[in-house]
Amino acid sequence: MGSFISAVTLTVPDYDQAIDFYVGVLGFDLLEDTKLSDTKRWVKIAPKGAQTALVIAQAEGPSQIAAVGNQNGGRVSFFLQTDDFISRYEAMRNAGVTFTEEPRRESYGHVVVFSDPFGNLWDLIQPI
């Protein structure tokens, strides 16, 4: 029996703001949005066709709120792979996504770092 990572948690300040960005701006699919209580929801999103999803968790309490946008100590936390780097980059830039640098070519592929509205860093990457 094979194994794979099915989901990774992303802590955000607000469910709907995260859905607006990831689904509305980046074009991810909203896989599930189930109300669990008055304050908690089970929200899963993923890029179209992806095997691994993000579970969006709304921060609760001081330590979780403090971790929003810095869940990986300021390093890139997530990698959005594309097969058409230039088109994807241009579409994201035109949609108002914040890039922290200019696109560059590395030995492993074309890459550019972008930030979500909460401060989490992502690589947009097209492997060579």
Side-chain angles (χ1 to χ4, degrees):
M1 179 165 128
S3 300
F4 64 94
I5 296 172
S6 64
V8 176
T9 301
L10 176 62
T11 306
V12 299
D14 182 81
Y15 291 115
D16 293 319
Q17 287 176 346
I19 292 169
D20 288 347
F21 178 74
Y22 287 105
V23 175
V25 174
L26 294 186
F28 286 19
D29 288 331
L30 178 60
L31 305 175
E32 188 173 352
D33 186 354
T34 303
K35 183 177 180 177
L36 302 176
S37 72
D38 287 340
T39 59
K40 199 167 194 174
R41 291 156 55 183
W42 179 255
V43 178
K44 284 177 64 177
I45 60 171
K48 294 183 184 316
Q51 187 174 16
T52 303
L54 290 175
V55 173
I56 302 299
Q58 186 166 294
E60 296 179 358
S63 63
Q64 289 182 17
I65 291 168
V68 170
N70 194 29
Q71 295 171 105
N72 201 18
R75 295 186 58 115
V76 170
S77 299
F78 304 98
F79 301 82
L80 181 59
Q81 185 170 316
T82 182
D83 59 2
D84 188 350
F85 181 84
I86 297 299
S87 294
R88 184 73 166 146
Y89 168 74
E90 290 296 331
M92 290 170 62
R93 191 177 65 154
N94 291 337
V97 173
T98 300
F99 290 91
T100 65
E101 63 181 15
E102 292 298 315
R104 65 187 193 280
R105 183 163 189 227
E106 298 289 347
S107 60
Y108 53 85
H110 299 280
V111 65
V112 65
V113 177
F114 69 95
S115 175
D116 70 12
F118 319 111
N120 298 296
L121 297 178
W122 287 70
D123 270 359
L124 174 65
I125 185 167
Q126 180 179 1
I128 295 176

